[in-house]
Amino acid sequence: MPDRPYTLLSCGMSIDGYLGAATPRRLQLSNDADFDRVDAVRASCDAILVGAATVRNDNPRLLVRSKSRREERAARGLPASPRKVTVTERVQLDPTADFFTTGEMEKLVYCASSRVVAARLRFQSVATVVDGGQPVEMRRVTEDLGDRGVQRLMVEGGGKVHTQFLIDDLADELQLVVAPFFVGDSRAPRFVGDGRFPWNFRRRATLGEVRQIGDVVLLRYALSSRFQTD
Ligand SMILES: NC(=O)c1ccc[n+]([C@@H]2O[C@H](COP(=O)([O-])OP(=O)(O)OC[C@H]3O[C@@H](n4cnc5c(N)ncnc54)[C@H](OP(=O)(O)O)[C@@H]3O)[C@@H](O)[C@H]2O)c1
């Protein structure tokens, strides 16, 4: 079986399980101390993956913010921030989005086989386009990332992406941060959609750690035997 990277899902959600607001406005769920913790996790990874909707809605930079962490990576011969990865079916992403234009590292776009030619035209100077299959399967994506030297992958959402990694049993760890408020609007994106998850009332996930960080709580779930304690 091909090697796939150690895969860590990272997510912040409201008490009622939403990833953000129903409006395009970006909703801050976490606090500064937790953002710094997430920055440290980013710095420990070889690649960060987000879904195309997150690139479109949030325009994230996905860079390591701390100067000392960037320098530490450089001293280890690594790019200052991990490689950036996204998946898309429709290939309707703006090549001038911060995902593509910030940071010197490689950016990878996995798309359906039928969209590879269109994607290469659109992203020719800003990203490496990879045929992800028809349809794109996350297992294939992670195995390909493993072939490209990614040993530790951080998946930062959104919900459609998290759902596939969980249902396909590709996650070794889930880092779930719960913010102390409700969104209360079912039009907002949820942490996960419907599906047959490997963890259910018959097979309970293992809680690896609970940590209070100011007004939020971090829950770390061990989802495979590869789970790494700090
Ligand atoms: N709170 C948090 O920690 C957090 C983190 C990240 C994001 N978010 C929020 O989550 C929201 C987005 O979540 P979301 O669930 O709507 O979307 P998402 O998971 O970010 O992205 C979904 C999109 O990714 C592409 N995609 C996913 N799986 C695919 C597959 N197997 N094959 C091909 N393409 C695939 C498709 O793009 P195309 O439409 O281009 O085909 C799909 O529409 C954002 O509004 C953001 O604010 C919150």
Side-chain angles (χ1 to χ4, degrees):
M1 202 162 58
D3 279 344
R4 56 172 191 82
Y6 183 87
T7 301
L8 178 163
L9 271 50
S10 172
C11 173
M13 68 173 197
S14 62
I15 293 174
D16 49 347
Y18 290 103
L19 291 181
T23 56
R25 167 180 71 93
R26 192 172 183 171
L27 183 68
Q28 180 166 322
L29 286 148
S30 207
N31 56 37
D32 287 348
D34 188 55
F35 285 134
D36 188 58
R37 178 195 65 79
V38 170
D39 194 60
V41 178
R42 277 186 184 169
S44 74
C45 290
D46 302 307
I48 302 172
L49 184 149
V50 293
T54 295
V55 175
R56 279 191 293 267
N57 297 354
D58 294 359
N59 193 26
R61 293 157 60 89
L62 302 178
L63 302 175
V64 173
R65 293 176 200 195
S66 148
K67 186 166 176 278
S68 61
R69 289 183 189 124
R70 291 198 305 269
E71 287 171 353
E72 199 180 298
R73 283 180 59 93
R76 287 193 287 137
L78 300 171
S81 293
R83 280 188 261 182
K84 303 186 210 177
V85 184
T86 192
V87 286
T88 178
E89 177 74 36
R90 295 180 295 145
V91 187
Q92 284 174 9
L93 286 168
D94 181 353
T96 67
D98 285 351
F99 175 94
F100 296 108
T101 56
T102 60
E104 302 298 315
M105 76 299 288
E106 184 180 31
K107 291 96 185 179
L108 292 149
V109 177
Y110 287 84
C111 68
S113 310
S114 59
R115 303 292 290 146
V116 166
V117 173
R120 291 211 168 117
L121 273 174
R122 180 172 280 239
F123 306 120
Q124 51 185 326
S125 57
V126 294
T128 305
V129 172
V130 186
D131 185 343
Q134 192 78 39
V136 178
E137 286 180 2
M138 295 305 169
R139 182 170 299 279
R140 177 168 166 163
V141 171
T142 58
E143 288 172 359
D144 186 78
L145 287 171
D147 289 345
R148 290 169 191 271
V150 173
Q151 293 179 3
R152 195 170 153 86
L153 171 67
M154 182 178 190
V155 179
E156 290 207 45
K160 292 194 176 78
V161 163
H162 282 319
T163 302
Q164 292 168 77
F165 273 87
L166 290 165
I167 286 175
D168 294 347
D169 207 354
L170 294 171
D172 298 294
E173 171 173 353
L174 169 63
Q175 298 192 356
L176 190 61
V177 165
V178 182
F181 60 84
F182 295 79
V183 168
D185 188 337
S186 59
R187 293 170 302 168
R190 294 205 80 104
F191 161 44
V192 286
D194 295 348
R196 286 170 66 92
F197 293 90
W199 304 275
N200 50 51
F201 69 93
R202 286 193 196 90
R203 183 180 173 222
R204 294 158 75 101
T206 303
L207 188 57
E209 185 189 349
V210 178
R211 194 189 314 166
Q212 182 173 350
I213 305 169
D215 65 352
V216 304
V217 62
L218 165 68
L219 306 168
R220 286 181 70 206
Y221 290 96
L223 301 183
S224 85
S225 57
R226 302 202 297 178
F227 177 72
Q228 296 167 353
T229 49
D230 288 339

